[in-house]
Amino acid sequence: MTARVIDGVALSARIREEVALRAAALTAQGVRPGLAVILVGIDPASQVYVRNKVAACEKAGLHSVMEQYPATMTQQELLERVHALNADPAIHGILVQLPLPKHMDPHQVIEAIAAQKDVDGFHVSNAGLLMTGKPLFRPCTPYGVMKMLEAENVPLRGAVAVIIGASNIVGKPMALLLQSAGATVTICNSKTRDLAWHTRHADIVVVATGRPRMVDGSMLKPGAVVIDVGINRTAEGKLCGDVDYESAREVASAITPVPGGVGPMTIAMLLVNTIEAAERTLAARQH
Ligand code: NAD
C-alpha cells in the first residue's frame, strides 16, 4: 500500500481564501481583524515562522503588526508591550513567539495576554476551556490537524488514536480535541515503554516529538493515518519530520509530508482564530 498524501498546502490555501472573505465582511462592518506578533531575540527558525505568519495575514486582508525586540529586552518591558496590545482596539489577536530568551518566564508572559486575544490558545483559561469541552481558541497546530482529518473524512468516533509527544502546545491539546471527537486516545512521551506496541494498535498516529524520523513503517498498523507534526533540519540543511516518510507511506493509508503538511495548516488556523476573535468583538459591539 502506498499512502494518500494529505496536502496541507492545498487545504491551508482553501482555508485562507475563506479567511479572506470573512476578513472582508468584518472590515465592511467596521472591524478590520488585527493580529500582533511579538518576537524577542534572533532565533532564525522563529524569525521565519513570524515572517510567514505576518505575510499570511497581509495576503488575507488582515491588519498585522510585527514587533521585534532584542534578546536583552527585560520581561517587564515585554509585559508592558503585551498590556498595551491588550488595550488596543485595532488588535484582536496577540501572539508571543516561543521560545523566549532564558531570562523570561514564558508562563508569566502568556498569562499576561488577555484570554480573549490569546489566538495561540496557550493561556491557562483557554487551556481550561478546552479541557472542559468549551474551547474559545483551539491551539493552532492541533486545530489544523483536526481540519486535515475532517477534510480527509477520517472516522474519529471510536478510532484508536496514539499521540507521541505531550507538550502543552501540541500533544495535550491534540489529545483533548481527538477525545472530544470520540476517539480513544493514548498520549505517549519519552518515558513510554514499548512505543511501537502502542503505535501498532492505532488507527491514527500523531507524532510531535522533535526527534527526526523516530516513527517508521514497522511501527504502524497497516492502513493507519499518520500525522507528522515534527519540523527538524537534517545535517544537509533539509527539513524532515518526526516520521520516516518513505517507510511509513508504504504501510499507512494516508500521511502528511514535511514540509507541506501540518506546518501551513498551523498558520491558516492562526488566521482563523484571529477572525473568530474579531467576529466576537463585532458581536459584542452589536449587543
Ligand atoms: P516539546 O519538546 O515541547 O515536546 C516533545 C514531546 O515529545 C515531550 O512530551 C517528550 O516527552 C516527547 N518525546 C520526546 N522524545 C520522545 C521519544 N523518543 N518517544 C516518545 N516521546 C518523546 O515539543 P513540541 O513543542 O510539542 O514540538 C514537537 C515537534 O513539533 C518539534 O519538531 C516542533 O518543531 C514541531 N512543531 C511543529 C509545528 C507545526 O506547525 N508543524 C508546531 C509546533 C511544533
Side-chain angles (χ1 to χ4, degrees):
M1 179 188 299
T2 301
R4 192 169 73 246
V5 178
I6 305 176
D7 185 348
V9 175
L11 179 57
S12 66
R14 288 206 295 279
I15 292 173
R16 285 191 281 118
E17 278 169 23
E18 286 163 24
V19 163
L21 294 176
R22 286 165 76 182
L26 280 161
T27 305
Q29 294 174 85
V31 177
R32 185 167 183 219
L35 174 70
V37 181
I38 302 182
L39 174 63
V40 186
I42 51 157
D43 179 65
S46 294
Q47 283 181 328
V48 173
Y49 296 148
V50 163
R51 242 184 276 130
N52 289 345
K53 287 169 184 174
V54 170
C57 272
E58 281 164 10
K59 219 171 150 198
L62 279 72
H63 165 59
S64 67
V65 176
M66 180 178 164
E67 298 193 5
Q68 194 164 357
Y69 299 105
T72 50
M73 181 188 216
T74 66
Q75 177 161 312
Q76 187 53 37
E77 286 166 336
L78 176 57
L79 292 176
E80 280 162 20
R81 280 312 306 145
V82 170
H83 292 144
L85 292 165
N86 284 343
D88 184 343
I91 296 299
H92 304 95
I94 302 170
L95 179 158
V96 177
Q97 186 67 42
L98 301 176
L100 286 168
K102 291 214 170 5
H103 65 277
M104 293 189 183
D105 176 354
H107 296 287
Q108 275 185 29
V109 174
I110 299 302
E111 295 327 303
I113 299 173
Q116 68 275 17
K117 294 192 178 187
D118 167 42
V119 281
D120 257 340
F122 297 164
H123 191 288
V124 279
S125 51
N126 284 320
L129 286 168
L130 179 65
M131 169 99 195
T132 49
K134 300 248 176 276
L136 186 67
F137 294 109
R138 294 157 182 84
C140 304
T141 300
Y143 194 7
V145 172
M146 294 304 286
K147 287 283 171 195
M148 290 175 126
L149 295 172
E150 190 187 304
E152 293 290 317
N153 295 313
V154 176
L156 300 179
R157 277 167 71 106
V160 173
V162 167
I163 297 160
I164 313 178
S167 70
N168 289 336
I169 65 173
V170 186
K172 286 185 207 164
M174 187 75 254
L176 291 169
L177 289 173
L178 282 168
Q179 193 182 40
S180 293
T184 301
V185 181
T186 301
I187 313 181
C188 300
N189 58 43
S190 55
K191 315 286 183 303
T192 298
R193 284 196 301 260
D194 200 355
L195 186 64
W197 182 89
H198 291 277
T199 53
R200 281 191 198 116
H201 287 86
D203 303 308
I204 300 166
V205 179
V206 181
V207 194
T209 60
R211 303 279 176 271
R213 302 188 178 118
M214 64 165 287
V215 170
D216 65 24
S218 73
M219 297 169 70
L220 299 170
K221 176 167 122 174
V225 174
V226 179
I227 305 288
D228 188 353
V229 178
I231 303 178
N232 310 291
R233 221 165 255 288
T234 64
E236 304 84 54
K238 281 190 167 175
L239 285 186
C240 79
D242 294 349
V243 174
D244 179 46
Y245 186 76
E246 294 308 324
S247 65
R249 69 190 293 227
E250 297 307 320
V251 183
S253 61
I255 187 167
T256 62
V258 177
V262 177
M265 292 300 294
T266 297
I267 296 183
M269 302 324 290
L270 173 67
L271 302 191
V272 170
N273 278 347
T274 306
I275 291 284
E276 287 176 2
E279 286 172 347
R280 282 194 283 270
T281 304
L282 181 63
R285 193 186 284 178
Q286 288 168 343
H287 280 103

mmCIF file with all atom_site columns, all heavy atoms in Angstrom, residues 4 147-156:
data_model
loop_
_atom_site.group_PDB
_atom_site.id
_atom_site.type_symbol
_atom_site.label_atom_id
_atom_site.label_alt_id
_atom_site.label_comp_id
_atom_site.label_asym_id
_atom_site.label_entity_id
_atom_site.label_seq_id
_atom_site.pdbx_PDB_ins_code
_atom_site.Cartn_x
_atom_site.Cartn_y
_atom_site.Cartn_z
_atom_site.occupancy
_atom_site.B_iso_or_equiv
_atom_site.pdbx_formal_charge
_atom_site.auth_seq_id
_atom_site.auth_comp_id
_atom_site.auth_asym_id
_atom_site.auth_atom_id
_atom_site.pdbx_PDB_model_num
ATOM 1  N N   . ARG A 1 4   ? -2.054  7.747  0.685  1.00 0.00 ? 4   ARG A N   1
ATOM 2  C CA  . ARG A 1 4   ? -2.506  9.019  0.109  1.00 0.00 ? 4   ARG A CA  1
ATOM 3  C C   . ARG A 1 4   ? -1.772  10.138 0.851  1.00 0.00 ? 4   ARG A C   1
ATOM 4  O O   . ARG A 1 4   ? -1.599  10.062 2.067  1.00 0.00 ? 4   ARG A O   1
ATOM 5  C CB  . ARG A 1 4   ? -4.007  9.088  0.395  1.00 0.00 ? 4   ARG A CB  1
ATOM 6  C CG  . ARG A 1 4   ? -4.781  10.128 -0.305 1.00 0.00 ? 4   ARG A CG  1
ATOM 7  C CD  . ARG A 1 4   ? -6.278  9.869  -0.116 1.00 0.00 ? 4   ARG A CD  1
ATOM 8  N NE  . ARG A 1 4   ? -6.743  10.179 1.232  1.00 0.00 ? 4   ARG A NE  1
ATOM 9  C CZ  . ARG A 1 4   ? -7.209  9.312  2.114  1.00 0.00 ? 4   ARG A CZ  1
ATOM 10 N NH1 . ARG A 1 4   ? -7.241  8.017  1.814  1.00 0.00 ? 4   ARG A NH1 1
ATOM 11 N NH2 . ARG A 1 4   ? -7.625  9.686  3.300  1.00 0.00 ? 4   ARG A NH2 1
ATOM 12 N N   . LYS A 1 147 ? -8.642  19.776 11.245 1.00 0.00 ? 147 LYS A N   1
ATOM 13 C CA  . LYS A 1 147 ? -9.178  20.177 9.933  1.00 0.00 ? 147 LYS A CA  1
ATOM 14 C C   . LYS A 1 147 ? -8.717  19.206 8.835  1.00 0.00 ? 147 LYS A C   1
ATOM 15 O O   . LYS A 1 147 ? -9.451  18.895 7.914  1.00 0.00 ? 147 LYS A O   1
ATOM 16 C CB  . LYS A 1 147 ? -8.730  21.606 9.578  1.00 0.00 ? 147 LYS A CB  1
ATOM 17 C CG  . LYS A 1 147 ? -9.430  22.664 10.380 1.00 0.00 ? 147 LYS A CG  1
ATOM 18 C CD  . LYS A 1 147 ? -10.838 22.887 9.855  1.00 0.00 ? 147 LYS A CD  1
ATOM 19 C CE  . LYS A 1 147 ? -11.623 23.799 10.782 1.00 0.00 ? 147 LYS A CE  1
ATOM 20 N NZ  . LYS A 1 147 ? -13.065 23.774 10.542 1.00 0.00 ? 147 LYS A NZ  1
ATOM 21 N N   . MET A 1 148 ? -7.460  18.747 8.944  1.00 0.00 ? 148 MET A N   1
ATOM 22 C CA  . MET A 1 148 ? -6.955  17.801 7.946  1.00 0.00 ? 148 MET A CA  1
ATOM 23 C C   . MET A 1 148 ? -7.695  16.474 8.032  1.00 0.00 ? 148 MET A C   1
ATOM 24 O O   . MET A 1 148 ? -8.093  15.897 7.018  1.00 0.00 ? 148 MET A O   1
ATOM 25 C CB  . MET A 1 148 ? -5.455  17.522 8.186  1.00 0.00 ? 148 MET A CB  1
ATOM 26 C CG  . MET A 1 148 ? -4.561  18.699 7.867  1.00 0.00 ? 148 MET A CG  1
ATOM 27 S SD  . MET A 1 148 ? -2.855  18.318 8.303  1.00 0.00 ? 148 MET A SD  1
ATOM 28 C CE  . MET A 1 148 ? -2.064  18.661 6.746  1.00 0.00 ? 148 MET A CE  1
ATOM 29 N N   . LEU A 1 149 ? -7.923  16.000 9.255  1.00 0.00 ? 149 LEU A N   1
ATOM 30 C CA  . LEU A 1 149 ? -8.618  14.721 9.433  1.00 0.00 ? 149 LEU A CA  1
ATOM 31 C C   . LEU A 1 149 ? -10.053 14.830 8.916  1.00 0.00 ? 149 LEU A C   1
ATOM 32 O O   . LEU A 1 149 ? -10.572 13.911 8.281  1.00 0.00 ? 149 LEU A O   1
ATOM 33 C CB  . LEU A 1 149 ? -8.602  14.304 10.915 1.00 0.00 ? 149 LEU A CB  1
ATOM 34 C CG  . LEU A 1 149 ? -7.207  14.008 11.493 1.00 0.00 ? 149 LEU A CG  1
ATOM 35 C CD1 . LEU A 1 149 ? -7.284  13.806 13.003 1.00 0.00 ? 149 LEU A CD1 1
ATOM 36 C CD2 . LEU A 1 149 ? -6.584  12.769 10.832 1.00 0.00 ? 149 LEU A CD2 1
ATOM 37 N N   . GLU A 1 150 ? -10.655 15.989 9.177  1.00 0.00 ? 150 GLU A N   1
ATOM 38 C CA  . GLU A 1 150 ? -12.026 16.232 8.720  1.00 0.00 ? 150 GLU A CA  1
ATOM 39 C C   . GLU A 1 150 ? -12.063 16.262 7.183  1.00 0.00 ? 150 GLU A C   1
ATOM 40 O O   . GLU A 1 150 ? -12.912 15.627 6.558  1.00 0.00 ? 150 GLU A O   1
ATOM 41 C CB  . GLU A 1 150 ? -12.456 17.596 9.278  1.00 0.00 ? 150 GLU A CB  1
ATOM 42 C CG  . GLU A 1 150 ? -13.908 17.969 9.143  1.00 0.00 ? 150 GLU A CG  1
ATOM 43 C CD  . GLU A 1 150 ? -14.106 19.417 9.596  1.00 0.00 ? 150 GLU A CD  1
ATOM 44 O OE1 . GLU A 1 150 ? -13.742 19.733 10.746 1.00 0.00 ? 150 GLU A OE1 1
ATOM 45 O OE2 . GLU A 1 150 ? -14.573 20.226 8.805  1.00 0.00 ? 150 GLU A OE2 1
ATOM 46 N N   . ALA A 1 151 ? -11.116 16.987 6.581  1.00 0.00 ? 151 ALA A N   1
ATOM 47 C CA  . ALA A 1 151 ? -11.089 17.109 5.118  1.00 0.00 ? 151 ALA A CA  1
ATOM 48 C C   . ALA A 1 151 ? -10.856 15.752 4.448  1.00 0.00 ? 151 ALA A C   1
ATOM 49 O O   . ALA A 1 151 ? -11.306 15.513 3.333  1.00 0.00 ? 151 ALA A O   1
ATOM 50 C CB  . ALA A 1 151 ? -10.002 18.098 4.693  1.00 0.00 ? 151 ALA A CB  1
ATOM 51 N N   . GLU A 1 152 ? -10.152 14.871 5.151  1.00 0.00 ? 152 GLU A N   1
ATOM 52 C CA  . GLU A 1 152 ? -9.860  13.543 4.596  1.00 0.00 ? 152 GLU A CA  1
ATOM 53 C C   . GLU A 1 152 ? -10.928 12.516 4.962  1.00 0.00 ? 152 GLU A C   1
ATOM 54 O O   . GLU A 1 152 ? -10.768 11.324 4.682  1.00 0.00 ? 152 GLU A O   1
ATOM 55 C CB  . GLU A 1 152 ? -8.501  13.049 5.136  1.00 0.00 ? 152 GLU A CB  1
ATOM 56 C CG  . GLU A 1 152 ? -7.327  13.846 4.635  1.00 0.00 ? 152 GLU A CG  1
ATOM 57 C CD  . GLU A 1 152 ? -7.044  13.616 3.159  1.00 0.00 ? 152 GLU A CD  1
ATOM 58 O OE1 . GLU A 1 152 ? -7.088  12.469 2.696  1.00 0.00 ? 152 GLU A OE1 1
ATOM 59 O OE2 . GLU A 1 152 ? -6.798  14.621 2.454  1.00 0.00 ? 152 GLU A OE2 1
ATOM 60 N N   . ASN A 1 153 ? -11.983 12.983 5.660  1.00 0.00 ? 153 ASN A N   1
ATOM 61 C CA  . ASN A 1 153 ? -13.061 12.086 6.113  1.00 0.00 ? 153 ASN A CA  1
ATOM 62 C C   . ASN A 1 153 ? -12.550 10.917 6.940  1.00 0.00 ? 153 ASN A C   1
ATOM 63 O O   . ASN A 1 153 ? -13.019 9.785  6.801  1.00 0.00 ? 153 ASN A O   1
ATOM 64 C CB  . ASN A 1 153 ? -13.863 11.541 4.924  1.00 0.00 ? 153 ASN A CB  1
ATOM 65 C CG  . ASN A 1 153 ? -14.592 12.656 4.207  1.00 0.00 ? 153 ASN A CG  1
ATOM 66 O OD1 . ASN A 1 153 ? -15.231 13.491 4.865  1.00 0.00 ? 153 ASN A OD1 1
ATOM 67 N ND2 . ASN A 1 153 ? -14.481 12.703 2.900  1.00 0.00 ? 153 ASN A ND2 1
ATOM 68 N N   . VAL A 1 154 ? -11.588 11.169 7.790  1.00 0.00 ? 154 VAL A N   1
ATOM 69 C CA  . VAL A 1 154 ? -11.059 10.106 8.658  1.00 0.00 ? 154 VAL A CA  1
ATOM 70 C C   . VAL A 1 154 ? -12.053 9.899  9.798  1.00 0.00 ? 154 VAL A C   1
ATOM 71 O O   . VAL A 1 154 ? -12.376 10.847 10.512 1.00 0.00 ? 154 VAL A O   1
ATOM 72 C CB  . VAL A 1 154 ? -9.677  10.508 9.230  1.00 0.00 ? 154 VAL A CB  1
ATOM 73 C CG1 . VAL A 1 154 ? -9.167  9.459  10.221 1.00 0.00 ? 154 VAL A CG1 1
ATOM 74 C CG2 . VAL A 1 154 ? -8.676  10.721 8.098  1.00 0.00 ? 154 VAL A CG2 1
ATOM 75 N N   . PRO A 1 155 ? -12.571 8.687  9.968  1.00 0.00 ? 155 PRO A N   1
ATOM 76 C CA  . PRO A 1 155 ? -13.525 8.472  11.055 1.00 0.00 ? 155 PRO A CA  1
ATOM 77 C C   . PRO A 1 155 ? -12.841 8.642  12.410 1.00 0.00 ? 155 PRO A C   1
ATOM 78 O O   . PRO A 1 155 ? -11.763 8.076  12.645 1.00 0.00 ? 155 PRO A O   1
ATOM 79 C CB  . PRO A 1 155 ? -13.984 7.015  10.874 1.00 0.00 ? 155 PRO A CB  1
ATOM 80 C CG  . PRO A 1 155 ? -13.399 6.539  9.598  1.00 0.00 ? 155 PRO A CG  1
ATOM 81 C CD  . PRO A 1 155 ? -12.293 7.461  9.198  1.00 0.00 ? 155 PRO A CD  1
ATOM 82 N N   . LEU A 1 156 ? -13.435 9.433  13.285 1.00 0.00 ? 156 LEU A N   1
ATOM 83 C CA  . LEU A 1 156 ? -12.824 9.696  14.594 1.00 0.00 ? 156 LEU A CA  1
ATOM 84 C C   . LEU A 1 156 ? -13.589 8.997  15.729 1.00 0.00 ? 156 LEU A C   1
ATOM 85 O O   . LEU A 1 156 ? -12.982 8.574  16.702 1.00 0.00 ? 156 LEU A O   1
ATOM 86 C CB  . LEU A 1 156 ? -12.766 11.208 14.852 1.00 0.00 ? 156 LEU A CB  1
ATOM 87 C CG  . LEU A 1 156 ? -11.953 12.020 13.824 1.00 0.00 ? 156 LEU A CG  1
ATOM 88 C CD1 . LEU A 1 156 ? -11.970 13.500 14.161 1.00 0.00 ? 156 LEU A CD1 1
ATOM 89 C CD2 . LEU A 1 156 ? -10.516 11.507 13.742 1.00 0.00 ? 156 LEU A CD2 1
#
